[in-house]
């Protein structure tokens, strides 16, 4: 069979150059393969006819068989519309068109049988349907039509007269042209073992299923395949890596670690912290390169874990570095490490854009000659031309953007690649993690340090600020500090977002006795740092901020987080922001302030926030509400792939199944060299050529 990608869509009757151009530009479809894999977003069961007397406005799409009695035109210009009086023989309803009027009046005839299809609504107390599909009853075979596919069309396509029905017609033509079955892309033994539909039938049924259950069977086959190849590609890569990539062996846990552990550790480790340190210690002692993701909710104590793991590197004669996403965070890490290490003879230095002149030269010199043992910096600084004497471990903090490609670049810095630890508080649901970080081993800190009281979260509307201000005042009088967070600096035209600067003035007049600081994204880094510094030291009691404080900042004395216009934040952002409080032993509060009119989805988000503090639960909910493409971190990760069919939120079990299947295949045939797996090798090659994203993962 000819490769469907070689066949241009214009070879199909009905698709000329201008339609081909539109398909290409709007849907990215240029050949038969693209078209075949352009799946309907829904099917509607059209096997049933309704009587007008049965219709009500809460029904989804319905169809009625009957005849047009007459057409009437009303209005002029934009108000112009056409009403067709349509009867099923018992009652009459109105069918309304606001555009395409000419097409209807010149093509639709009175007193002939038609089937009309659309969503019923009420107009002047009577049931009507706007812009129904109209088909001559004799051309429509209802039994064949039982599940009608609906395809996405864009505004531009619609304007050029290309509807879902047009795409459907192209599809019918295409399927009728495919004389031979579409070649199978999974080995027969997998199809048998998992009871999958063959590819040819699955593709046909995806467009024209004979029943809902056939549709779901077809979907299952196509999703499985998609997920299976992702997992196979990631796992093949991960296995090759762990087999080949030798790393520095850290055989000992020595003096530095032990001294710190017994004399300097400010509090006992939680058992989760101990466990993850043990896991990393095993990695680093194995002689293979560690590539580990450390997940732990905000405030779970990842920084301390990072420090202790770095001390193991030092014990083995290596340097370690930690990269933070912002300069503020890097400086905070430096502070934390220096104060925790106290007078231990460990040289910790900072390298960010703020470190200049002689200091910078001395730090870079120290990195090169090995006297700087722990380097703290932003990843921008460390990524370029800093030369380490003997780098043994890199920790990447709060950096979900650090995908496979970036990590691979790091490894190339040394002949023997350093161990890599990626830390994130943005909880990633399991199914997504398996896909996004499938090449990393994962450690989880699933426990907060003792004595933490869960943050109390409440929702209030912005028309009653007095109670809120009273509460904040009480907390500050008790010696605590508060954050006020706003979504944007400048008011955008239409949305009534509060202006941080204005708000700052307002809060000053409300709290004249407290000193208030402000940080936002348009301040210079030095100004911002100085403001943060004042808040950290307790000089300012309230910090008015945009989301620049979102990640990592640690001010345990802050006990109130007020989030204004909370409806404008995503769930994981809200969770990160809330994580800025509740870091000490005191009861902390998070107040979500919103306007009165909330969409259903926003209401749900707010409700989730008030009901749970569990980051994983929130991440799962977020994935369900927004879909994986939007999830923070996925898009910038460098491994953003767009799943065409499967949905990581809904298809969790299939992800697991696909992963098990891939693992099974590789257990028996690691190099995929068995004859029955030739098909897998070929397909992997094909996929990695075809799509940038795939090649990045593999
Ligand atoms: P995150 O995981 O969000 O990076 P941090 O490392 O900033 O969290 O830790 C949050 C706070 O918890 C810090 O003030 C830290 O000193 C404290 N902390 C960390 N580990 C423990 C522990 N085992 N017991 C008590 N407090 C701890
Ligand atoms: Mg942190």
């Amino acid at each position: 069979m000819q490769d469907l990608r070689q066949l241009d869509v214009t070879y199909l009757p009905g698709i000329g150059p201008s339609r081909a151009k539109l398909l290409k530009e709007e849907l990215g479809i240029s050949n038969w393969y693209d078209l075949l894999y352009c799946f309907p977003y829904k099917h509607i069961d059209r096997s049933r006819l309704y009587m007008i007397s049965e219709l009500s406005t809460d029904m989804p799409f319905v169809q009625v068989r009957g005849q047009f009695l007459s057409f009437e035109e009303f209005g002029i210009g934009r108000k112009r519309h056409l009403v067709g009086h349509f009867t099923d023989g018992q009652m009459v309803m109105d069918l309304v068109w606001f555009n395409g009027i000419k097409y209807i009046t010149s093509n639709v005839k009175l007193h002939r049988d038609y089937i009309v299809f659309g969503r019923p609504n009420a107009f002047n107390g009577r049931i009507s349907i706007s812009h129904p599909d109209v088909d001559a009853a004799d051309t429509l075979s209802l039994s064949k039509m039982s599940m009608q596919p609906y395809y996405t069309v864009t505004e531009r396509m619609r304007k050029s007269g290309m509807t879902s029905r047009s795409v459907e017609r192209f599809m019918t033509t295409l399927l009728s042209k495919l004389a031979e079955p579409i070649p199978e892309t999974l080995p027969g033994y997998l199809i048998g073992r998992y009871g999958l539909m063959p590819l040819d039938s699955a593709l046909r049924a995806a467009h024209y299923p004979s029943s809902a259950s056939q549709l779901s069977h077809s979907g299952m086959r196509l999703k499985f395949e998609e997920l299976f190849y992702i997992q196979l590609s990631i796992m093949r890569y991960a296995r090759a890596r762990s087999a080949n990539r030798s790393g520095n062996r850290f055989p000992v846990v020595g003096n530095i670690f032990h001294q710190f552990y017994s004399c300097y550790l400010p509090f006992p480790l939680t058992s989760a912290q101990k466990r993850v340190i043990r896991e990393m210690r095993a990695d680093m002692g194995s002689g293979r390169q560690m590539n580990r993701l450390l997940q732990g909710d905000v405030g779970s104590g990842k920084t301390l874990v990072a420090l202790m793991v770095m001390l193991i590197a030092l014990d083995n004669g290596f340097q370690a570095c930690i990269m933070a996403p912002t300069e503020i965070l890097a400086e905070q890490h430096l502070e934390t490490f220096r104060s925790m290490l106290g007078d231990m003879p460990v040289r910790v230095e900072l390298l960010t854009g703020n470190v200049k002149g002689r200091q910078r030269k001395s730090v870079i010199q120290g990195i090169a000659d090995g006297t700087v043992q722990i380097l703290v910096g932003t990843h921008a600084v460390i990524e370029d031309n800093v030369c380490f004497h003997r780098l043994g471990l890199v920790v990447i903090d709060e950096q979900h953007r650090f995908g496979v490609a970036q990590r691979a670049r790091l490894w190339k810095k040394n002949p023997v690649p350093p161990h890599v630890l990626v830390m994130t508080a943005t909880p990633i649901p399991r199914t997504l993690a398996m896909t996004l970080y499938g090449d990393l081993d994962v450690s989880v800190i699933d426990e907060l340090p003792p004595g933490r009281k869960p943050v109390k979260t409440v929702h209030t509307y912005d028309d009653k600020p007095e109670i809120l201000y009273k509460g904040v005042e009480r907390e500050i009088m008790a010696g605590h500090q508060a954050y006020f967070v706003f979504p944007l600096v400048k008011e955008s035209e239409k949305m009534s977002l509060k202006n941080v600067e204005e708000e700052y003035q307002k809060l000053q007049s409300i709290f004249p006795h407290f000193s208030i600081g402000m940080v936002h994204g348009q301040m210079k880094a030095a100004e911002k740092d100085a403001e943060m510094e004042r808040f950290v030291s307790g000089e300012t009691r309230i910090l008015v901020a945009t989301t620049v404080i979102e990640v990592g900042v640690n001010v345990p004395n802050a006990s109130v987080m007020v989030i204004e216009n909370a409806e404008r934040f995503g769930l994981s952002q809200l969770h990160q922001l809330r994580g800025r409080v509740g870091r000490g032993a005191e009861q902390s509060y998070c107040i979500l302030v919103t306007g009165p009119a909330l969409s259903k989805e926003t209401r749900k988000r707010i409700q989730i926030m008030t009901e749970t503090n569990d980051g994983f639960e929130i991440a799962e909910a977020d994935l369900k509400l927004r879909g994986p493409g939007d999830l923070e971190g996925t898009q910038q990760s460098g491994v953003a792939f767009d799943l065409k069919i499967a949905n990581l939120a809904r298809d969790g079990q299939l992800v697991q199944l696909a992963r098990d299947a891939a693992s099974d295949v590789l257990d028996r045939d690691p190099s995929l060299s068995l004859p029955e797996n030739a098909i897998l090798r070929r397909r992997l090659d094909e996929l990695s050529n075809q799509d940038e994203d795939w090649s990045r993962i593999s």
Side-chain angles (χ1 to χ4, degrees):
M1 179 167 186
Q2 210 177 342
D3 183 356
L4 297 181
R5 287 196 196 82
Q6 305 295 328
L7 296 169
D8 202 275
V9 282
T10 50
Y11 299 156
L12 289 174
I15 304 187
S18 69
R19 286 178 153 183
K21 186 160 175 278
L22 207 56
L23 282 174
K24 168 89 189 129
E25 288 173 2
E26 297 299 297
L27 301 182
I29 293 173
S30 49
N31 54 52
W32 289 23
Y33 181 92
D34 299 339
L35 184 59
L36 191 59
Y37 277 83
C38 167
F39 296 111
Y41 64 91
K42 66 172 178 192
H43 286 85
I44 286 177
D45 186 352
R46 295 196 61 175
S47 57
R48 171 156 190 213
L49 289 171
Y50 286 83
M51 298 305 286
I52 295 171
S53 60
E54 293 176 280
L55 302 186
S56 67
T57 54
D58 56 6
M59 286 174 139
F61 290 85
V62 295
Q63 55 190 352
V64 179
R65 186 185 176 122
Q67 301 188 339
F68 285 93
L69 300 175
S70 60
F71 285 106
E72 272 184 281
E73 276 193 54
F74 298 93
I76 44 166
R78 294 165 124 248
K79 294 236 172 82
R80 181 168 169 235
H81 63 279
L82 175 75
V83 173
H85 303 290
F86 186 81
T87 179
D88 60 5
Q90 297 183 354
M91 281 177 75
V92 179
M93 72 173 162
D94 290 347
L95 306 178
V96 187
W97 286 267
F98 295 93
N99 46 49
I101 292 177
K102 183 134 170 282
Y103 179 85
I104 295 294
T105 49
S106 50
N107 285 286
V108 175
K109 311 213 162 46
L110 300 181
H111 312 300
R112 287 263 195 94
D113 270 7
Y114 286 95
I115 289 174
V116 299
F117 173 78
R119 192 194 285 278
N121 45 28
F123 188 67
N124 286 341
R126 278 172 64 173
I127 288 286
S128 68
I129 296 178
S130 312
H131 290 256
D133 287 351
V134 178
D135 291 282
D138 49 3
T139 63
L140 209 60
S141 150
L142 282 182
S143 60
K144 194 179 136 245
M145 286 277 301
S146 64
M147 296 281 278
Q148 186 174 12
Y150 278 72
Y151 297 91
T152 304
V153 288
T154 64
E155 196 52 43
R156 225 184 113 211
M157 291 169 74
R158 220 171 281 125
K159 283 211 178 94
S160 317
M162 206 193 277
T163 60
S164 164
R165 294 302 279 281
S166 331
V167 178
E168 193 196 331
R169 271 196 300 277
F170 305 155
M171 206 64 75
T172 320
T173 316
L174 171 65
L175 290 174
S176 71
K177 294 261 167 201
L178 297 174
E180 299 162 53
I182 298 152
E184 187 48 59
T185 44
L186 284 174
Y189 69 90
L190 284 180
I191 294 188
R193 187 185 312 157
Y194 294 101
L196 301 172
M197 225 184 220
L199 181 63
D200 184 74
S201 345
L203 282 171
R204 288 173 196 271
H207 296 285
Y208 290 108
S210 62
S211 65
S213 87
Q214 198 199 29
L215 178 65
S216 86
H217 201 179
S218 136
M220 138 100 184
R221 141 83 209 211
L222 296 169
K223 288 172 185 178
F224 176 88
E225 169 168 359
E226 186 176 37
L227 295 167
F228 170 78
Y229 276 106
I230 291 176
Q231 295 298 338
L232 187 66
S233 137
I234 293 174
M235 287 173 94
R236 195 166 61 144
Y237 167 82
R239 289 183 182 210
R241 191 206 74 216
S242 65
N244 304 333
R245 197 167 288 282
S246 55
N248 295 306
R249 210 162 90 77
F250 291 178
V252 299
V253 173
N255 282 342
I256 306 180
F257 185 94
H258 286 309
Q259 196 188 349
F260 178 78
Y261 189 79
S262 33
C263 309
Y264 291 80
L265 196 62
F267 24 63
L269 296 175
T270 63
S271 55
Q273 283 171 318
K274 283 188 197 154
R275 190 189 66 239
V276 301
I277 292 174
R278 270 200 306 276
E279 287 166 355
M280 290 176 219
R281 155 97 182 89
D283 283 1
M284 297 188 301
S286 73
R288 281 194 244 106
Q289 185 208 14
M290 171 171 82
N291 258 288
R292 195 167 273 279
L293 174 72
L294 175 59
Q295 282 190 349
D297 214 342
V298 285
S300 60
K302 295 185 292 295
T303 317
L304 179 57
V305 169
L307 175 62
M308 296 185 66
V309 175
M310 290 195 287
L311 295 183
I312 298 179
L314 269 49
D315 269 335
N316 287 274
F318 284 89
Q319 297 164 289
C321 86
I322 177 165
M323 308 187 211
T326 64
E327 307 210 330
I328 293 177
L329 262 184
E331 282 162 31
Q332 206 169 50
H333 282 335
L334 177 80
E335 291 274 301
T336 307
F337 294 159
R338 283 198 173 150
S339 82
M340 281 191 171
L341 290 168
D343 59 2
M344 281 183 65
V346 173
R347 182 169 171 206
V348 187
E349 294 289 353
L350 178 75
L351 191 63
T352 68
N354 287 345
V355 179
K356 300 213 168 79
R358 276 180 45 201
Q359 174 64 10
R360 189 178 187 86
K361 249 177 109 180
S362 134
V363 171
I364 289 181
Q365 177 59 42
I367 298 169
D369 65 23
T371 51
V372 170
Q373 293 161 288
I374 294 180
L375 179 69
V376 183
T378 48
H379 74 94
V381 175
I382 298 178
E383 254 189 283
D384 38 63
N385 49 25
V386 179
C387 284
F388 285 85
H389 176 64
R390 211 168 172 225
L391 180 62
L393 168 68
V394 177
V395 181
I396 299 151
D397 189 21
E398 301 293 0
Q399 194 52 276
H400 3 106
R401 263 161 250 154
F402 234 76
V404 179
Q406 286 97 323
R407 274 180 269 134
R409 215 172 333 133
L410 260 181
W411 304 342
K412 290 189 189 116
K413 274 184 94 102
N414 282 30
V416 179
H419 297 297
V420 176
L421 170 62
V422 181
M423 306 200 297
T424 179
T426 304
I428 301 161
R430 237 168 60 81
T431 52
L432 191 58
M434 279 193 257
T435 313
L436 200 54
Y437 293 118
D439 68 317
L440 294 180
D441 302 310
V442 180
S443 289
V444 182
I445 305 186
D446 51 5
E447 174 186 9
L448 292 178
R452 296 274 173 81
K453 297 200 176 72
V455 179
K456 278 195 182 139
T457 304
V458 289
H459 170 217
T460 72
Y461 294 102
D462 57 9
D463 56 352
K464 292 234 169 48
E466 296 77 18
I467 305 169
L468 168 66
Y469 296 145
K470 272 263 159 1
V472 171
E473 186 172 344
R474 235 185 351 257
E475 281 297 304
I476 295 175
M477 295 302 278
H480 301 305
Q481 290 166 281
Y483 295 99
F484 276 80
V485 176
F486 298 86
L488 273 185
V489 179
K490 289 276 174 267
E491 201 156 321
S492 76
E493 314 120 326
K494 292 219 180 100
M495 287 175 278
S496 62
L497 296 183
K498 291 176 184 167
N499 181 318
V500 172
E501 278 157 27
E502 239 171 57
E503 234 19 67
Y504 172 72
Q505 309 286 349
K506 196 173 109 198
L507 287 173
Q508 267 185 331
S509 67
I510 293 165
F511 301 113
H513 311 301
F514 304 139
S515 67
I516 303 179
M518 171 170 67
V519 289
H520 56 70
Q522 303 187 0
M523 280 161 95
K524 290 211 179 66
E527 276 178 85
K528 218 187 308 184
D529 291 354
E531 276 291 358
M532 279 311 298
E533 201 43 54
R534 276 195 283 281
F535 189 64
V536 172
S537 71
E539 188 185 325
T540 44
R541 310 307 297 176
I542 295 177
L543 188 66
V544 179
T546 56
T547 45
V548 291
I549 59 152
E550 188 184 320
V551 159
V553 172
N554 189 27
V555 183
N557 190 45
S559 65
V560 186
M561 166 62 65
V562 181
I563 305 175
E564 300 269 358
N565 291 115
E567 65 268 36
R568 306 222 56 90
F569 293 95
L571 260 180
S572 63
Q573 249 182 330
L574 290 173
H575 182 62
Q576 268 286 348
L577 284 169
R578 180 169 61 184
R580 298 309 104 212
V581 296
R583 302 173 81 82
E586 304 290 334
Q587 177 63 58
S588 296
Y589 305 89
C590 172
I591 294 116
L592 307 171
V593 186
T594 69
L598 298 180
S599 71
K600 208 169 128 203
E601 205 204 297
T602 307
R603 217 168 266 292
K604 184 85 201 154
R605 276 208 304 272
I606 303 279
Q607 187 196 344
I608 292 166
M609 284 298 294
T610 55
E611 281 171 3
T612 180
N613 276 302
D614 180 331
F616 282 87
E617 230 174 89
I618 290 174
E620 296 277 356
D622 203 20
L623 189 60
K624 289 212 174 83
L625 281 175
R626 297 201 297 175
D630 276 348
L631 206 71
E632 257 161 85
T634 26
Q635 273 158 341
Q636 319 98 312
S637 64
V639 278
F641 23 69
D642 89 85
L643 286 171
K644 290 192 174 61
I645 317 159
N647 173 319
L648 292 175
R650 280 200 305 265
D651 301 319
Q653 279 183 320
L654 263 182
V655 176
Q656 186 64 56
L657 197 68
R659 193 168 169 83
D660 293 345
S663 159
D664 243 38
V665 168
L666 289 172
D667 281 347
R668 276 187 297 139
D669 184 13
S671 55
L672 301 180
S673 49
L674 293 177
E676 70 255 38
N677 287 331
I679 193 171
L680 296 178
R681 245 192 358 262
R682 208 165 46 238
R683 186 71 180 156
L684 280 177
D685 289 346
E686 220 173 84
L687 290 168
S688 65
N689 290 336
Q690 173 193 340
D691 195 320
E692 254 279 293
D693 294 335
W694 281 88
S695 63
R696 285 221 206 130
I697 345 174
S698 57

